[in-house]
Amino acid sequence: MSLTLHFHPLSSYCWKALVALYENDTPFTPHMVNLGDEAERAALLKLWPIGKFPVLQDDARGAIVPESSIVIEFLDRHFPGRTRFIPDGDAGLQMRLRDRFYDLYVHTPTQKIVGDRLVPADKKDPHGVAMARAQLTTSYGMINRQMATNVWAMGTAFTLADCAAAPALYYANKVHPFGDAHRNVSAYLGRLLARPSFARVVKEAEPYAHMFPEE
């Protein structure tokens, strides 16, 4: 087995990569990284000096692949399966746009809200959190319109964009609920949660769910 995924089971970006691996039953060795452990953190930094996960290691190719979107593109190219994550042609450009949309305009503001819960009272940023919530509301509106007719992010095919949407929407709904105004977004998240690959990711994270900071 040439693939090793360096990850943490509560990390949303790791979820994104895991969905892709589970979609195609791609064999890999999971290696959980505790960033609070000095030795484990040093080992991750040696692989990827930025020090963030997920990082995919392919020993057969001598490749170290960081960043969740790039990990999934790498899998699509070198370990193709029944689910192809990258459409051809202009559809591929639209898919990458939606992948970036979920990362930048759902994932990032969600992380801002979660991160603010972890800092001391005198370090909190209420203005920044308010801006993050406003961004999520705008993003929900856009997704709600799109999902009025779509099954998945790109229509009927499950792609990299859905791998991005699944963890982003799951965590976003915890910190800034969709509400009745965004029922199509709720329905889309429901379909994602029913997808076996994402259901497995969520199930495996349950033992760590207590680590998620509540308000």
Side-chain angles (χ1 to χ4, degrees):
M1 188 180 303
S2 71
L3 294 179
T4 300
L5 185 73
H6 304 271
F7 80 114
H8 190 279
L10 201 61
S11 162
S12 48
Y13 278 111
C14 292
W15 283 19
K16 181 176 169 180
L18 285 166
V19 169
L21 287 160
Y22 292 158
E23 268 292 309
N24 287 330
D25 298 317
T26 305
F28 73 102
T29 299
H31 178 241
M32 194 176 88
V33 179
N34 176 9
L35 292 178
D37 181 283
E38 186 176 339
E40 292 187 25
R41 182 175 177 80
L44 181 67
L45 287 169
K46 187 174 180 180
L47 290 174
W48 176 232
I50 297 298
K52 292 187 176 182
F53 36 50
V55 175
L56 186 69
Q57 182 175 350
D58 184 348
D59 290 334
R61 290 178 174 77
I64 300 297
V65 187
E67 298 299 321
S68 57
S69 295
I70 307 305
V71 167
I72 295 171
E73 290 224 28
F74 182 88
L75 292 171
D76 200 62
R77 178 173 300 181
H78 296 294
F79 298 87
R82 59 183 178 272
T83 299
R84 296 309 302 266
F85 300 106
I86 316 296
D88 294 328
D90 287 346
L93 293 177
Q94 282 300 313
M95 187 282 305
R96 287 180 176 88
L97 172 60
R98 290 174 187 177
D99 170 60
R100 301 318 304 138
F101 175 87
Y102 279 104
D103 279 3
L104 295 173
Y105 306 121
V106 180
H107 224 138
T108 296
T110 297
Q111 288 186 326
K112 171 63 180 177
I113 297 169
V114 173
D116 198 72
R117 295 177 178 181
L118 297 172
V119 300
D122 63 336
K123 301 294 184 183
K124 291 190 180 296
D125 178 16
H127 178 67
V129 168
M131 291 181 64
R133 291 188 180 280
Q135 177 63 74
L136 285 175
T137 298
T138 297
S139 298
Y140 292 170
M142 295 174 68
I143 299 164
N144 202 64
R145 289 189 292 274
Q146 181 188 60
M147 301 315 294
T149 55
N150 283 13
V151 176
W152 304 112
M154 286 296 294
T156 59
F158 191 92
T159 67
L160 189 163
D162 299 291
C163 297
L169 291 175
Y170 179 89
Y171 280 112
N173 191 43
K174 285 183 173 295
V175 301
H176 191 69
F178 303 143
D180 290 341
H182 303 113
R183 292 182 180 178
N184 295 333
V185 186
S186 295
Y188 177 38
L189 178 58
R191 291 192 293 276
L192 289 165
L193 286 165
R195 188 98 178 177
S197 57
F198 188 46
R200 179 178 174 182
V201 172
V202 174
K203 181 69 174 176
E204 290 177 348
E206 284 179 358
Y208 306 90
H210 67 280
M211 298 170 63
F212 184 81
E214 301 296 338
E215 227 174 327

